[in-house]
């Protein structure tokens, strides 16, 4: 698994990916053609993947985001060093923190 | 050291002193010298083989200038290509031919390259600030129009990195350089030139990032301003609150980035002392702290370091609250990603 700031990218075996994901709608790329894994609310900085692949919003144990990189790719961010990702499937986990009575996502 | 050791440093009058001068030019926060700038504008037109503009109109900030450019009906076509791009490309080609690819690269590294990153970051932030104020963000039709005007600017003082790489005392860049030394961004049109004031305040940290805790990090005379803490854009009202922070207020801030800024301003040591925190556990993932509260569940927090250093070499520290039953730093960090401690094992972190 790989961590870039508040985003964790965890490999998933291809067999474990639910079959309907193959035909599920794909997340749209941003204006720069990137797959945005997480967007900072304050800074506008983004954790984003450059390269061919798909991002699928998926409820349940593999969601909220499943990332498919058939040829591998790179995850980039304005303030963090880029990380090369081998080809394969990943679940993307956004860091959260504890709030008494609820849980909130970390806004990087 | 002979000049042949540093191929870039001795080309046609560009020297360390010139780079230092251009560095100061890029960061200048004093009123424009309007007469000198207007003289430079007219010279740049003439050098491009164009008649003088009929009028030079001044704007108090890039925001005001963009509005003005969009409203001016009789300005004529943009002559930026002839006034700026063509003479630059010519000079670059001339030096490139003379120095060769490696020589040009070395020359750029010793001149404009030294100023490029910090100046470009500033330019990007100004563009984003103008887009935000005039179009409410960077998407949509309005934003597209504003962006086009912004991209059409000649950057005046912020063209310093490029100009540092070329001789400017005589020759085709003389007029452009003159404007750059005396004014901010400008827009050359066939009949009108719109020229901007320079900022009245500019505060940056050691790494060149916009940074100011007591007011705008960049401000123009008409009030157009950018607020930032160590490069991170922050809302203006947020800074006003920093001097009166309390540990309770910091704990209640919901945005982790803003809370980090509050903690940096307030001081981690002070915060931990004020809040009666004790250090519970430390491992390679971070440090676990616990603050016991009367009549409430304890606050348990993991202190996490960013793995990528900041430009100034420091590492950002984040404090994330985790469930009160957390016993180790690793378990706390793993929990923030919804994982068990024994499963959490990043092979690369940045």
């Amino acid at each position: 698994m790989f961590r870039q700031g508040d985003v964790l990218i965890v490999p998933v075996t291809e067999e474990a990916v639910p079959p309907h994901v193959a035909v599920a709608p794909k997340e749209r790329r941003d204006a720069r053609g990137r797959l945005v894994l997480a967007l900072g609310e304050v800074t506008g900085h983004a954790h984003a993947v450059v390269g061919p692949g798909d991002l699928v919003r998926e409820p349940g144990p593999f969601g909220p985001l499943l990332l498919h990189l058939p040829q591998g790719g790179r995850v980039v961010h304005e303030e963090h060093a880029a990380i090369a990702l081998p080809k394969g499937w990943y679940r993307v986990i956004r860091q959260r923190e504890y709030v008494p009575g609820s849980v909130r996502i970390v806004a990087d | 050291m002979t000049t042949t050791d540093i191929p870039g440093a001795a080309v046609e009058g560009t020297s360390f002193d010139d780079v230092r001068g251009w560095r100061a030019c890029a960061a200048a926060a004093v009123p424009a010298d309007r007469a000198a700038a207007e003289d430079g504008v007219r010279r740049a037109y003439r050098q491009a083989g164009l008649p003088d503009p009929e009028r030079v109109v001044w704007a108090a900030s890039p925001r005001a200038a963009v509005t003005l450019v969009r409203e001016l009906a009789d300005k004529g076509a943009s002559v930026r290509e002839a006034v700026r791009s063509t003479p630059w490309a010519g000079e670059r080609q001339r030096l490139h031919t003379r120095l060769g690819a490696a020589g040009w690269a070395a020359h750029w590294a010793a001149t404009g390259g030294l100023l490029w990153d910090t100046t470009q970051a500033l330019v990007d932030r100004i563009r984003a600030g103008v887009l935000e104020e005039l179009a409410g963000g960077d998407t949509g039709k309005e934003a597209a129009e504003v962006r086009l005007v912004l991209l059409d600017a000649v950057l005046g003082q912020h063209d310093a990195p490029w100009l540092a790489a070329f001789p400017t005392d005589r020759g085709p860049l003389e007029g452009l350089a003159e404007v750059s030394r005396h004014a901010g961004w400008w827009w050359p049109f066939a009949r009108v030139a719109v020229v901007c004031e320079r900022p009245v305040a500019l505060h940056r940290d050691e790494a060149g990032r916009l940074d100011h805790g007591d007011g705008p990090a960049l401000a123009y005379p008409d009030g157009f301003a950018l607020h930032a803490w160590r490069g991170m854009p922050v809302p203006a009202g947020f800074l006003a609150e920093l001097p009166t922070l309390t540990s309770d207020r910091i704990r209640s801030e919901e945005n982790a980035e803003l809370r980090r800024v509050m903690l940096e301003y307030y001081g981690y040591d002070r915060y931990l002392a004020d809040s009666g925190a004790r250090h519970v556990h430390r491992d390679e993932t971070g440090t676990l702290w616990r603050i016991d509260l009367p009549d409430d569940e304890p606050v348990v927090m993991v202190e996490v370091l960013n793995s990528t250093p900041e430009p100034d070499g420091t590492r950002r520290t984040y404090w994330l609250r985790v469930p009160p039953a957390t016993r180790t730093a690793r378990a706390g960090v793993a929990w923030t990603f919804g994982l068990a401690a024994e499963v959490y094992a990043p092979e690369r972190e940045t």
Side-chain angles (χ1 to χ4, degrees):
Chain A
M1 64 182 74
F2 306 88
R3 182 172 82 99
Q4 189 184 54
D6 59 3
V7 168
L8 192 70
I9 301 165
V10 182
V12 176
T13 62
E14 188 154 4
E15 301 75 58
V17 175
H20 68 262
V21 168
V23 293
K26 312 292 188 277
E27 291 292 298
R28 287 179 60 178
R29 288 173 182 262
D30 74 354
R32 286 188 258 174
R34 311 177 305 174
L35 296 166
V36 176
L37 308 183
L39 185 65
E41 291 168 26
V42 175
T43 57
H45 293 166
H47 298 276
V49 170
V50 290
D54 289 312
L55 194 59
V56 177
R57 210 160 278 281
E58 167 71 7
F62 297 102
L65 286 171
L66 261 172
L67 173 67
H68 184 212
L69 298 174
Q71 300 168 34
R74 274 161 70 80
V75 58
V76 299
H77 185 273
E78 286 82 348
E79 294 177 332
H80 299 274
I83 298 178
L85 300 172
K87 67 178 179 183
W89 284 87
Y90 299 90
R91 56 190 280 241
V92 178
I93 307 175
R94 187 88 188 258
Q95 196 162 33
R96 60 177 179 168
E97 74 178 310
Y98 175 79
V99 179
S102 68
V103 163
R104 68 177 166 228
I105 296 296
V106 173
D108 183 309
Chain B
M1 183 183 281
T2 64
T3 51
T4 52
D5 291 326
I6 32 171
V11 174
E12 294 181 47
T14 57
S15 68
F16 174 72
D17 280 342
D18 289 329
V19 173
R20 198 160 52 183
W22 284 116
R23 186 190 299 279
C25 168
V30 292
D33 180 334
R34 295 191 173 196
E38 291 183 20
D39 186 54
V41 167
R42 284 187 285 269
R43 220 178 321 163
Y45 274 63
R46 272 176 239 152
Q47 285 180 300
L50 300 168
D52 288 5
E54 294 160 21
R55 287 188 293 151
V56 177
V57 184
W58 283 85
S61 70
R63 178 187 65 186
V66 168
T67 303
L68 198 58
V69 165
R70 295 177 75 194
E71 285 169 356
L72 273 176
D74 56 348
K75 56 187 182 288
S78 173
V79 292
R80 180 172 176 270
E81 196 66 25
V83 168
R84 187 189 91 149
S85 308
T86 303
W88 273 17
E91 284 296 276
R92 187 188 175 284
Q93 185 58 46
R94 194 174 61 80
L95 266 191
H96 192 276
T97 304
R98 209 182 113 196
L99 300 173
W104 162 255
H107 174 67
W108 171 253
T111 55
L114 298 172
L115 311 179
W116 178 257
D117 285 348
T118 48
T119 309
Q120 194 55 36
L122 190 57
V123 168
D124 289 344
R125 282 294 309 280
I126 292 171
R127 286 196 180 124
V130 172
L131 268 170
E132 182 63 39
E133 293 208 9
L134 294 183
D138 62 0
T139 53
K141 183 167 172 288
E142 182 79 359
E145 286 179 25
V146 171
R147 193 195 306 276
L148 277 181
V149 177
L150 286 169
L151 289 175
D152 229 12
V154 182
L155 297 182
Q157 67 179 142
H158 296 147
D159 278 330
W162 270 108
L163 291 165
F166 301 111
T168 54
D169 287 347
R170 286 184 304 278
L173 303 184
E174 200 181 13
L176 277 174
E178 186 73 0
V179 186
S180 296
R181 289 192 186 97
H182 299 291
W185 296 13
W186 62 291
W187 282 259
F189 297 99
R191 300 176 62 189
V192 184
V194 174
V195 190
C196 249
E197 270 296 339
R198 291 189 284 206
V200 290
L202 174 66
H203 302 275
R204 293 189 283 187
D205 67 5
E206 285 292 307
R209 298 170 297 185
L210 284 176
D211 177 44
H212 200 44
D214 301 320
L218 177 79
Y220 281 86
D222 63 351
F224 173 67
L226 301 173
H227 295 78
W229 179 269
R230 297 188 189 174
M232 189 183 95
V234 295
F238 173 79
L239 288 176
E241 193 192 346
L242 288 179
T244 58
L245 283 177
T246 63
S247 54
D248 283 346
R249 171 67 186 95
I250 295 171
R251 194 181 306 133
S252 69
E253 171 54 48
E254 298 211 344
N255 185 300
E257 272 283 0
L258 295 180
R259 193 167 62 239
R260 178 183 61 75
V261 174
M262 288 176 162
L263 284 165
E264 282 178 4
Y265 190 94
Y266 193 79
Y268 291 107
D269 294 353
R270 186 179 160 210
Y271 177 73
L272 293 172
D274 284 1
S275 52
R278 61 197 172 79
H279 155 206
V280 179
H281 181 257
R282 174 175 293 149
D283 59 31
E284 69 283 358
T285 65
T287 306
L288 191 71
W289 296 88
R290 180 183 173 101
I291 303 168
D292 288 307
L293 300 175
D295 307 320
D296 199 354
E297 64 178 322
V299 176
V300 177
M301 298 169 91
V302 280
E303 175 187 340
V304 190
L305 287 180
N306 251 359
S307 298
T308 304
E310 296 291 296
D312 62 5
T314 61
R315 288 171 194 273
R316 280 190 181 175
T317 305
Y318 285 84
W319 300 69
L320 300 173
R321 194 166 175 184
V322 294
T326 308
R327 293 284 171 260
T328 66
R330 169 176 292 277
V333 175
W335 182 90
T336 65
F337 289 113
L339 299 179
E342 55 277 15
V343 184
Y344 179 73
E347 64 182 81
R348 182 122 199 269
E349 296 182 73
T350 68

